Amino acid sequence: MADGVNNCFLVNAPAGSGKTTYIKAMVSKLTLENPKDNILCITYTNRAADELSGDMKSEHSFVGTIHSFLHSFMKRYFAHSDILSLYFEQYGDSIKQRIENASGDVHIAESNEKYKEKYGQLDYETVQRNMTEIFYNESAFNSLYYGGLCHDDLVSFSKCVFDRFPVIRKRISLRYQYIFIDEYQDTMADVLNIFYDAVAGTSSQLYFFGDRMQQIYTNYDGSFEERFTSFDTVKMTTNYRSVTEIVTILNRLYHDSEFVQDNSENMKKMRPDFLPRIIITNDVPSTLAMLQKDDPDTLVLYLLNKERFSAINAANLFQAFSNMEKYSYGRSYSAVDVLTAPYEENPDPLLRLLYCVLRMAKDFSKGLYGPVIHALKTNKSMFCLEVCSIKNHNDKIRLFQRLTSVFATVSDETKTILDLLRCLEETSVADKVYVGNVLSDKENEAVLKVPAIELMRVLDYLDDPKVSTQHGVKGESHNSVVFVADDSSRTPVVYMYRFFDLLCQIPISLRSFNQFYYAYSGELANLQNTIKMRISELKKADYNEYEGVILQKANAIAKQFSDDPYFQQICLDKYDEYLRNPGVTKAKGCLKESSVLGILSAYKLFYVGCSRARKNLSILLDCSKLQGDVLKQKEKFKELGFTVEEAKGRSNLEGE
């Protein structure tokens, strides 16, 4: 056990380093050495938890997501009067608004009537009096009248409890002697802080596993960086996934002597069908088609999810979800996160229901009725228990008929998602309150018009993906990968071709680039806090009011980062332009976080995309999008370990 000194460890686990195997080995070793110690493993998804738990059968080990852990750990406190008071402090206004139902929402009215039927009346005092405990609702809905916390609020409310009652937080370290946090780079800082504060000054050991180069979600905001300086670093130096030629490229991209990987003995023996290659073309689609013809099992990595979902004929579904405010940039989940998550861990209540129905439809069509019944029984919040229970043969026949009607709607190309929900309602297969909550969500209106068949196309694709995005393949690997380089000015902002240009201008490393980004974005955040608005939202009148403050900050930033190579290459020209001739447009142009983040994101995505390939790696570049010194970029690609090819029929590149 730890002695209270240096009890926090950062385990750098680059792509292909066998992180899961490493954690399993650590748990096994600790269990043998200290059989009475308790071990906690927090994973990013339920699938990761299942993979990690594997052979872990110790009664002293808990493996699960942050939600499953908090649900298990907090339930003993959720009936305490002080915790209930805190609940009403946090959600009281929302409860009152729902009771009043000023908008006259039909579904809220139905929910209110249901409460009255159970308790005789509905008012704020009655809700307070009847609530005896808080619980995890295991869905995206808060059951405000009953104390049910939804997926997101379980974390936020637990953080409130820990902050209000530190003694409860400390009990985490009293209970667990070893705590492992997987994929720390994508974990909210609130969660990291919960566990750090829990073990601070104790003998418990805390391990954060992950790889900053694979930080492809926006959950982590960099606010934990200062605390990382007190962590001891553990390095994982063997790559078990990729051939030597690809590992060499990954090391050169990472560009950090402290985090160099070597091949496993098995992978050293394997040879690619061709050397990793950069293919420069003036016709990306036709070149891609030829590569796919040569190897039909190639995984194609696009930047834009629009292209990904168009390729599987589900563009309408993607567009409807991507337009939702709750899945916009910077939120806990993106449209892609919910569209690609299995129903068991899907935070979107609509997709949670529909994906479950579609899974049942697949099993039903194969005559696998057992899994269908199991799904109905284990998802009690979504389905009508009375209708789905089978007590005799007639019950079985009636349920079979109702399910046949529902599943027919799924495969009917003329039916919309709304039609499918109505069918679930009319057959009484789905819980009416659950469906009502889904229908009452105004953001779902566009989704309800989408053909239901697009849902099945997405599910089919998830079962056997042949296309993905560069940020959607985390943890996956494929024999052959084609990476299609592209830019995006929409969220997430990615400037891939600016990254290629920067790559040949300065020696980029993840450590130095991250340090600059967090320092620079922190200064921009300070300015926005001062003027109490986002720089991107500045109007002329706003700028005139705060011009002195903005000019002072711009001068300070330019001076602070004057010697930084990233600032010089990415930002300096815009700052010089603004400081020479100040104005609102130029202020917004230079004080623009995305100018840096877009290139940093491209750097990480390029690394992640390359790291997915086991044997064969191809990078497709559009010659019309290349910028800067193309010849210099070619030489840099060769230095990294790529061959550089030019597709037949392309036009001459500028500068050649």
Side-chain angles (χ1 to χ4, degrees):
M1 292 178 62
D3 58 7
V5 179
N6 297 330
N7 64 329
C8 296
F9 302 88
L10 183 63
V11 184
N12 190 71
S17 59
K19 171 167 58 73
T20 300
T21 302
Y22 184 87
I23 296 174
K24 284 183 178 180
M26 279 194 71
V27 172
S28 186
K29 181 175 181 291
L30 292 170
T31 300
L32 288 172
E33 293 176 351
N34 307 290
K36 294 183 179 180
D37 282 349
N38 294 312
I39 301 172
L40 171 63
C41 299
I42 299 296
T43 61
Y44 199 73
T45 64
N46 287 319
R47 281 182 293 178
D50 291 339
E51 183 183 1
L52 189 57
S53 58
D55 300 326
M56 296 184 193
K57 304 297 183 184
S58 173
E59 61 182 17
H60 296 288
S61 297
F62 181 100
V63 183
T65 64
I66 184 61
H67 294 89
S68 62
F69 165 70
L70 290 174
H71 172 54
S72 174
F73 185 82
M74 297 297 292
K75 61 185 179 183
R76 76 198 66 186
Y77 306 110
F78 277 173
H80 196 282
S81 59
D82 289 342
I83 308 297
L84 289 168
S85 295
L86 181 60
Y87 177 87
F88 284 103
E89 183 181 319
Q90 295 293 314
Y91 303 106
D93 288 343
S94 297
I95 292 173
K96 291 173 183 177
Q97 290 172 9
R98 192 170 179 88
I99 291 172
E100 293 171 2
N101 191 20
S103 64
D105 188 287
V106 175
H107 300 290
I108 293 177
E110 289 178 358
S111 182
N112 288 352
E113 285 302 315
K114 187 174 181 179
Y115 189 94
K116 291 176 184 177
E117 289 175 10
K118 184 173 183 178
Y119 293 106
Q121 63 183 38
L122 174 59
D123 53 57
Y124 189 66
E125 291 71 25
T126 301
V127 173
Q128 285 182 300
R129 188 168 55 252
N130 289 331
M131 193 178 299
T132 57
E133 63 178 344
I134 301 162
F135 62 95
Y136 178 32
N137 195 38
E138 298 188 48
S139 77
F141 300 122
N142 276 337
S143 297
L144 293 174
Y145 299 160
Y146 306 98
L149 294 168
C150 72
H151 193 77
D152 289 342
D153 280 353
L154 178 65
V155 176
S156 59
F157 184 71
S158 296
K159 180 68 165 54
C160 287
V161 173
F162 291 139
D163 290 343
R164 182 71 62 86
F165 309 103
V167 66
I168 298 178
R169 181 176 60 218
K170 281 297 181 183
R171 287 172 184 166
I172 295 175
S173 61
L174 291 174
R175 183 171 179 181
Y176 296 102
Q177 286 69 57
Y178 299 93
I179 301 173
F180 299 153
I181 309 296
D182 194 16
E183 306 291 5
Y184 78 85
Q185 77 280 352
D186 290 322
T187 303
M188 293 181 292
D190 276 354
V191 175
L192 302 183
N193 280 310
I194 285 174
F195 292 104
Y196 181 86
D197 290 336
V199 304
T202 75
S203 61
S204 294
Q205 291 188 4
L206 175 63
Y207 292 82
F208 285 174
F209 289 82
D211 180 11
R212 295 177 192 230
M213 188 65 95
Q214 298 186 76
Q215 185 185 348
I216 56 181
Y217 300 109
T218 58
N219 296 348
Y220 177 62
D221 60 4
S223 60
F224 198 83
E225 289 304 296
E226 186 174 345
R227 285 185 157 179
F228 275 132
T229 60
S230 66
F231 282 51
D232 284 350
T233 299
V234 180
K235 304 167 187 175
M236 297 180 65
T237 59
T238 302
N239 187 303
Y240 298 92
R241 176 185 296 160
S242 303
V243 296
T244 301
E245 292 80 358
I246 293 174
V247 172
T248 298
I249 290 172
L250 297 178
N251 284 332
R252 291 171 180 173
L253 280 172
Y254 216 113
H255 196 208
D256 194 325
S257 59
E258 292 191 22
F259 300 110
V260 176
Q261 285 187 295
D262 193 13
N263 281 103
S264 67
E265 291 303 316
N266 286 338
M267 294 309 297
K268 285 179 180 178
K269 301 173 185 176
M270 187 177 293
R271 291 289 177 267
D273 298 324
F274 50 82
L275 293 174
R277 57 191 180 183
I278 300 287
I279 303 175
I280 302 174
T281 178
N282 66 348
D283 190 347
V284 170
S286 65
T287 304
L288 177 59
M290 287 189 293
L291 295 176
Q292 289 178 297
K293 185 179 179 180
D294 291 340
D295 187 355
D297 290 327
T298 293
L299 177 71
V300 181
L301 298 182
Y302 293 105
L303 170 61
L304 300 176
N305 282 297
K306 183 178 180 181
E307 294 175 337
R308 176 188 184 183
F309 284 92
S310 293
I312 60 173
N313 295 316
N316 297 309
L317 186 67
F318 167 72
Q319 194 61 53
F321 273 93
S322 62
N323 287 339
M324 290 186 180
E325 176 64 25
K326 62 184 175 183
Y327 300 131
S328 60
Y329 182 71
R331 298 300 183 93
S332 298
Y333 302 99
S334 70
V336 176
D337 290 337
V338 296
L339 282 169
T340 57
Y343 81 84
E344 297 95 336
E345 57 197 49
N346 203 304
D348 185 272
L350 174 59
L351 288 175
R352 184 178 176 90
L353 171 64
L354 295 180
Y355 279 179
C356 184
V357 171
L358 265 60
R359 282 291 174 200
M360 290 192 295
K362 283 195 167 193
D363 288 332
F364 194 84
S365 66
K366 300 173 185 176
L368 302 173
Y369 304 129
V372 174
I373 300 301
H374 179 74
L376 291 170
K377 289 182 177 181
T378 55
N379 292 277
K380 299 176 182 178
S381 66
M382 297 191 297
F383 300 109
C384 179
L385 294 180
E386 185 179 346
V387 172
C388 298
S389 63
I390 299 175
K391 298 177 182 178
N392 52 55
H393 184 67
N394 288 332
D395 290 341
K396 186 184 293 185
I397 293 174
R398 279 193 293 269
L399 180 59
F400 184 91
Q401 292 172 338
R402 296 182 187 201
L403 291 176
T404 299
S405 177
V406 170
F407 298 152
T409 306
V410 172
S411 58
D412 189 339
E413 296 193 13
T414 67
K415 301 297 184 180
T416 65
I417 290 174
L418 178 59
D419 292 328
L420 176 56
L421 288 173
R422 293 299 188 202
C423 186
L424 285 165
E425 253 189 336
E426 292 166 3
T427 58
S428 298
V429 172
D431 180 77
K432 289 187 177 181
V433 174
Y434 191 99
V435 175
N437 284 329
V438 167
L439 293 174
S440 66
D441 187 343
K442 303 298 183 186
E443 285 204 275
N444 285 333
E445 288 182 356
V447 175
L448 300 180
K449 300 175 183 178
V450 175
I453 193 69
E454 291 197 16
L455 288 165
M456 186 60 82
R457 290 169 184 161
V458 173
L459 209 61
D460 289 340
Y461 155 74
L462 293 174
D463 288 341
D464 185 25
K466 288 294 189 294
V467 296
S468 188
T469 56
Q470 294 142 22
H471 53 287
V473 288
K474 187 172 174 181
E476 298 178 14
S477 61
H478 298 263
N479 277 336
S480 298
V481 169
V482 175
F483 181 103
V484 182
D486 207 350
D487 293 329
S488 173
S489 57
R490 301 182 66 183
T491 54
V493 176
V494 176
Y495 300 134
M496 189 64 66
Y497 288 91
R498 291 188 198 177
F499 161 65
F500 293 148
D501 185 37
L502 184 68
L503 188 62
C504 70
Q505 300 297 330
I506 62 174
I508 297 176
S509 73
L510 179 64
R511 188 196 303 267
S512 61
F513 207 160
N514 264 340
Q515 285 175 345
F516 166 67
Y517 169 70
Y518 287 132
Y520 180 70
S521 62
E523 294 299 326
L524 296 183
N526 290 338
L527 173 59
Q528 292 181 148
N529 290 334
T530 300
I531 65 176
K532 293 181 173 55
M533 66 184 308
R534 297 179 64 84
I535 301 296
S536 59
E537 297 172 350
L538 276 176
K539 301 291 191 292
K540 188 174 181 179
D542 303 316
Y543 176 78
N544 291 337
E545 180 179 354
Y546 295 109
E547 184 177 42
V549 176
I550 295 171
L551 273 169
Q552 184 180 15
K553 191 63 174 180
N555 268 300
I557 289 174
K559 184 177 180 179
Q560 179 181 347
F561 298 105
S562 60
D563 296 329
D564 190 287
Y566 296 100
F567 183 82
Q568 292 172 351
Q569 292 291 329
I570 300 171
C571 310
L572 184 58
D573 288 347
K574 292 290 185 182
Y575 275 78
D576 285 345
E577 187 179 348
Y578 168 61
L579 294 172
R580 283 197 308 268
N581 187 18
V584 62
T585 301
K586 291 180 180 174
K588 291 164 72 173
C590 82
L591 299 165
K592 194 173 181 179
E593 182 183 355
S594 62
S595 299
V596 178
L597 181 58
I599 299 175
L600 177 58
S601 296
Y603 176 31
K604 292 177 179 179
L605 288 175
F606 189 68
Y607 175 91
V608 171
C610 292
S611 70
R612 300 309 99 182
R614 287 193 286 263
K615 286 182 60 180
N616 305 317
L617 174 62
S618 304
I619 312 294
L620 280 187
L621 272 60
D622 187 333
C623 66
S624 68
K625 296 180 181 179
L626 288 167
Q627 48 190 280
D629 192 329
V630 176
L631 290 176
K632 199 171 180 179
Q633 289 174 48
K634 285 183 174 182
E635 290 305 310
K636 185 64 182 181
F637 288 135
K638 291 176 183 178
E639 286 178 21
L640 290 172
F642 290 100
T643 63
V644 179
E645 304 175 9
E646 299 176 5
K648 293 180 180 180
R650 52 172 290 283
S651 60
N652 290 329
L653 297 173
E654 288 186 22
E656 291 190 292

